[in-house]
């Protein structure tokens, strides 16, 4: 299917899409602590960590390890690049959904 918008594979994985969509609800510059994000997404710490690492490698999230008082805390934020990538991803999904899809059963399927 030529001309179809490309979906960012880093965001497209279901768990990472949920992470990015949740972080996109924060105002620019705001951060959420790891346990709160984990609670909202209902993900295990290990699973969330793996997906955050992949998003961080792509430059889509920023992870800051700090202390609140004497308690260590991990803060997570969507970067500008991550916000832009999510907006582009959203536009690509909308384009796919809005594209006129007329299938002709007489036509053979396209193969990549």
């Amino acid at each position: 299917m030529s001309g179809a918008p490309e979906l960012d594979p880093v965001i497209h994985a279901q768990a990472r899409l949920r992470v990015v969509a949740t972080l996109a609800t924060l105002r620019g510059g705001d951060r959420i602590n790891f346990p709160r994000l984990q609670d909202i997404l209902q993900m295990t710490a290990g699973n969330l960590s793996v997906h955050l690492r992949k998003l961080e490698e792509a430059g889509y999230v920023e992870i800051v390890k700090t202390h609140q008082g004497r308690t260590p805390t991990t803060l997570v934020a969507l970067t500008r690049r991550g916000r832009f990538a999510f907006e582009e991803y959203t536009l690509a999904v909308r384009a796919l959904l809005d594209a006129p899809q007329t299938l002709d059963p007489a036509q053979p399927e396209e193969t990549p």
Side-chain angles (χ1 to χ4, degrees):
M1 185 177 187
S2 64
E6 290 292 319
L7 296 177
D8 184 330
V10 175
I11 295 176
H12 192 63
Q14 181 185 5
R16 290 192 295 270
L17 178 57
R18 291 176 56 223
V19 170
V20 172
T22 300
L23 292 175
T25 65
L26 298 173
R27 291 184 304 238
D30 283 356
R31 297 177 177 159
I32 187 169
N33 70 38
F34 183 93
R36 178 74 181 122
L37 183 60
Q38 181 186 354
D39 186 52
I40 290 168
L41 296 172
Q42 292 294 294
M43 295 172 73
T44 65
N47 193 17
L48 180 55
S49 292
V50 167
H51 291 293
L52 285 174
R53 192 172 312 116
K54 185 83 168 176
L55 290 165
E56 185 179 38
E57 288 169 0
Y60 292 173
V61 299
E62 178 185 42
I63 299 169
V64 176
K65 295 185 184 275
T66 186
H67 286 81
Q68 290 180 336
R70 291 181 168 214
T71 307
T73 188
T74 301
L75 300 173
V76 183
L78 195 60
T79 63
R80 279 190 209 152
R81 180 177 178 179
R83 194 169 296 278
F84 178 76
F86 182 62
E87 289 168 2
E88 290 292 306
Y89 179 87
T90 303
L91 290 173
V93 169
R94 285 193 178 121
L96 284 171
L97 295 174
D98 292 343
Q101 304 274 332
T102 52
L103 299 177
D104 183 354
Q107 294 287 20
E109 285 187 36
E110 288 184 31
T111 55

